[in-house]
Amino acid sequence: MKSYTAFIPTSPVKLATLALFSILLISSSCSDPATVGIELAPGNNQIGVFYREFVLDAEVILLDSFSTTNSTVLIAGHEQDDFFGKTESTGFSRMYMDFTKERPRNDAIYDSAFFSLDVVSVNGSNLTQPKRYTIHRLTEPILDTVYYNFNSLAFQPNPIATTDVVFGDKKDTTLVFPIETAFAEEIFLKLRDTRQFRTLFEFRNYFPGFAVKAREGDNTTAGIALGGETSMTYYYHYAGDTAASSYTITTFSSRSFNGIKSDKSGTPTQGVTERGKTYDVGQIVGMKSSLAMALKINTSPIDAFLDTLSGVTFNQANLKIGAIEDQSADNTPISGMMLKYINSQNKVLVSTVVPRNELHVVTDGQPQVIENENGELVPSNVYAASAVLSYNTENKTYSTRITSHINAIYRGQLQRQDWLLFAETPTTGIDFRRSLRQFKVDKNKIKVEVIYSKVR
């Protein structure tokens, strides 16, 4: 099988490009806007080094059929923003009883009970002020089905546990707070009765699970990891025994999902209602995780630019987004994104070599195309080689190199496609399913920057 990589010169062309790079950047700011690029030292050498940047248009899109099932993190948040409106996230989860562990005997004496939340991330504003989280008992079961971000389940309005916490600079901590007494004692009586909770199904039939919510107005979201630390623990003792014993019900192996409610009234995005459809919301666009509001990037200016060229070598091409709009210091933006290929119907394209594998822009220095079984060139879809738009906290920009990608389009190996910006990377996973992180940016700050050479 053949592989294809971008052509990168090793001749004096490359050396000249590197040596003259600083002059190039200074000269480009003074160029005639009608010219394609800036040629250095005309008449003195046979190498032209050019710089060009152009803007890519963007529209917002609500992702269709966005599943949040078993994302490993419950999202409890309530945020308000002048662009996205009010966004509320509630985490829903079953709980797990380990029947290999010894349960309290029928003569056990109840002492206390606590609910624990394993907080692994906090995002929001005014973190020096108390934030409230409540645990509510579900009144309907979590089924063995796929749940989407627009799904929800019924739960009791009065919480079984409540805590107020001041996070400050601490973004990962385990919150431990008391369970409401009547509910805790009711569970404990059943725990010590061998006729009760004989199977996990019996336990879940009695206690279908819980919903974890944030308080309206707190403008903060917590990410809560499932497992041994997100649990409820019952403490007890026996008559004449000074040592305390405990029994813990965890969220190990527990089905879960995150449900999102959104009220965009009075914002630029209030008309963004239909999933899978793109919307022009004005000069400012943005993305918000779990709400599944993403950006579709119109890449047609790439074709328009390449049509003006002949006989060139691309030294470097960058996609740059930002600087993004200011947001509070504790409101961390989306950390990284992929560029998925998307068609005119806003469907992500999939590989013809590996069925159901989504296609995306591949990073520099990696094959952009591969041969299929018929010897035809098709886009590469190696997930680990995805081009990742990484966030720079100092200049508040996202950027990635797309030199090999541009080169493959120019040489006819790859067909240009529009891009879906998706909050996911091979190292961090799908951030869209794990947070309410966001960012906003002026469309004029979504640019491709290209440096290329031409030999006369």
Side-chain angles (χ1 to χ4, degrees):
M1 179 180 292
K2 296 180 181 178
S3 62
Y4 298 83
T5 57
F7 172 69
I8 300 176
T10 55
S11 67
V13 172
K14 181 177 179 181
L15 298 177
T17 301
L18 296 175
L20 297 173
F21 179 71
S22 60
I23 300 174
L24 166 68
L25 294 180
I26 296 172
S27 301
S28 64
S29 64
C30 314
S31 64
D32 180 350
T35 62
V36 172
I38 302 301
E39 183 178 343
L40 298 183
N44 295 332
N45 60 49
Q46 298 301 306
I47 301 171
V49 180
F50 301 81
Y51 172 83
R52 177 73 181 269
E53 68 176 39
F54 48 89
V55 173
L56 303 180
D57 193 24
E59 294 181 305
V60 301
I61 179 174
L62 283 178
L63 301 181
D64 189 21
S65 302
F66 182 70
S67 171
T68 60
T69 308
N70 293 342
S71 61
T72 73
V73 173
L74 299 179
I75 306 171
H78 203 296
E79 300 183 2
Q80 185 165 357
D81 181 88
D82 58 4
F83 182 82
F84 300 103
K86 291 183 180 180
T87 307
E88 179 184 4
S89 178
T90 302
F92 300 88
S93 179
R94 292 170 175 169
M95 299 201 80
Y96 173 75
M97 279 185 65
D98 185 350
F99 288 88
T100 65
K101 291 185 177 180
E102 183 180 354
R103 286 166 58 173
R105 301 194 309 262
N106 60 6
D107 60 338
I109 302 169
Y110 170 79
D111 291 327
S112 59
F114 295 88
F115 210 102
S116 301
L117 295 177
D118 183 14
V119 177
V120 292
S121 64
V122 179
N123 209 54
S125 57
N126 300 321
L127 298 188
T128 57
Q129 301 299 314
K131 310 297 180 181
R132 177 169 295 180
Y133 296 92
T134 53
I135 307 297
H136 300 258
R137 182 180 183 177
L138 295 183
T139 56
E140 61 177 310
I142 298 177
L143 304 177
D144 293 329
T145 187
V146 177
Y147 287 93
Y148 301 97
N149 64 335
F150 50 80
N151 289 134
S152 64
L153 295 174
F155 52 83
Q156 293 178 346
N158 295 326
I160 61 173
T162 302
T163 185
D164 289 348
V165 58
V166 176
F167 289 108
D169 294 330
K170 196 170 185 63
K171 304 296 179 63
D172 55 337
T173 184
T174 300
L175 306 180
V176 181
F177 46 103
I179 299 174
E180 193 269 334
T181 303
F183 172 78
E185 291 180 344
E186 182 181 319
I187 287 271
F188 185 75
L189 288 174
K190 293 182 178 295
L191 281 175
R192 70 180 197 174
D193 185 347
T194 57
R195 296 169 299 178
Q196 303 287 336
F197 300 160
R198 288 170 297 180
T199 68
L200 184 59
F201 297 105
E202 285 187 3
F203 167 69
R204 287 177 173 167
N205 185 56
Y206 170 79
F207 185 72
F210 67 92
V212 55
K213 292 176 59 64
R215 180 171 58 186
E216 183 176 1
D218 279 353
N219 211 30
T220 298
T221 299
I224 301 158
L226 297 176
E229 297 300 319
T230 296
S231 58
M232 51 184 179
T233 301
Y234 293 83
Y235 294 92
Y236 59 94
H237 70 280
Y238 297 101
D241 190 352
T242 58
S245 299
S246 65
Y247 186 85
T248 299
I249 299 172
T250 72
T251 50
F252 274 126
S253 305
S254 296
R255 195 169 189 82
S256 65
F257 73 96
N258 295 302
I260 306 297
K261 291 183 179 179
S262 173
D263 180 3
K264 299 184 287 293
S265 302
T267 71
T269 59
Q270 67 177 352
V272 182
T273 56
E274 187 176 340
R275 299 179 185 278
K277 179 181 177 181
T278 55
Y279 292 85
D280 184 351
V281 296
Q283 195 58 36
I284 302 298
V285 294
M287 293 177 56
K288 191 170 183 69
S289 299
S290 288
L291 178 59
M293 184 176 288
L295 293 182
K296 179 179 180 179
I297 305 297
N298 180 352
T299 63
S300 59
I302 293 177
D303 276 349
F305 165 65
L306 295 180
D307 286 345
T308 67
L309 304 178
S310 62
V312 304
T313 295
F314 295 99
N315 307 114
Q316 185 172 317
N318 301 322
L319 173 63
K320 181 178 178 181
I321 299 178
I324 63 172
E325 300 288 292
D326 289 338
Q327 49 195 56
S328 62
D330 292 312
N331 192 357
T332 306
I334 293 170
S335 59
M337 296 175 288
M338 295 171 58
L339 303 164
K340 296 187 178 184
Y341 296 154
I342 193 169
N343 64 18
S344 59
Q345 287 75 45
N346 300 326
K347 300 295 184 182
V348 175
L349 302 180
V350 296
S351 172
T352 57
V353 176
V354 184
R356 295 185 296 278
N357 277 26
E358 296 180 334
L359 294 175
H360 47 79
V361 176
V362 174
T363 191
D364 264 12
Q366 296 296 317
Q368 303 294 302
V369 291
I370 57 176
E371 280 188 354
N372 63 15
E373 59 184 6
N374 298 321
E376 301 166 328
L377 291 180
V378 296
S380 174
N381 68 321
V382 180
Y383 181 71
S386 304
V388 174
L389 276 160
S390 300
Y391 182 68
N392 185 310
T393 56
E394 293 186 2
N395 57 28
K396 298 182 179 180
T397 62
Y398 295 91
S399 62
T400 189
R401 290 195 176 188
I402 55 171
T403 318
S404 300
H405 178 75
I406 295 293
N407 193 59
I409 295 174
Y410 178 69
R411 301 188 185 285
Q413 298 174 340
L414 193 65
Q415 181 179 344
R416 178 195 60 79
Q417 303 288 348
D418 289 338
W419 300 326
L420 174 72
L421 293 193
F422 192 83
E424 176 184 9
T425 76
T427 55
T428 62
I430 304 177
D431 190 52
F432 262 151
R433 298 175 60 189
R434 299 167 58 89
S435 76
L436 285 181
R437 290 184 176 184
Q438 65 181 52
F439 74 86
K440 294 170 287 187
V441 68
D442 189 308
K443 290 196 293 188
N444 285 335
K445 297 180 180 179
I446 304 176
K447 297 180 178 181
V448 174
E449 303 172 333
V450 186
I451 302 171
Y452 61 98
S453 301
K454 183 176 182 179
V455 179
R456 279 198 277 266

